[in-house]
Amino acid sequence: RTAPENENKPIISALAREEKKLERVREAYEAGVDTLDEYKENKSKMLLCGCLLYIAANKICLYEHI
């Protein structure tokens, strides 16, 4: 069972924003704006945010079953 759509909507929106940020991080590296180290650091931050949002979305679903 999934959480009601209105509960997950902010998380889904935030995940979409993080995905766009990750795309911009890659583009900055490819354009030579960021160094490889900066790219790695920024990518790690974006992936961590995405993972935390994913966990938050799953906790909403989990609490419905308790």
Side-chain angles (χ1 to χ4, degrees):
R1 186 174 161 208
T2 60
E5 188 175 317
N6 61 342
E7 287 184 35
N8 270 340
K9 197 169 190 174
I11 295 172
I12 291 169
S13 295
L15 279 168
R17 285 190 303 273
E18 291 304 313
E19 196 172 303
K20 290 207 179 283
K21 287 180 189 177
L22 187 56
E23 185 178 321
R24 288 194 303 269
V25 164
R26 181 186 48 80
E27 289 171 353
Y29 171 68
E30 289 177 350
V33 175
D34 286 348
T35 66
L36 181 58
D37 288 336
E38 289 170 322
Y39 170 71
K40 287 178 182 179
E41 182 179 341
N42 291 332
K43 183 178 175 184
S44 293
K45 288 178 189 176
M46 296 302 105
L47 291 175
L48 177 60
C49 288
C51 287
L52 293 174
L53 288 167
Y54 180 79
I55 290 167
N58 283 312
K59 281 186 177 182
I60 290 172
C61 294
L62 177 65
Y63 287 128
E64 285 189 342
H65 296 307
I66 296 176

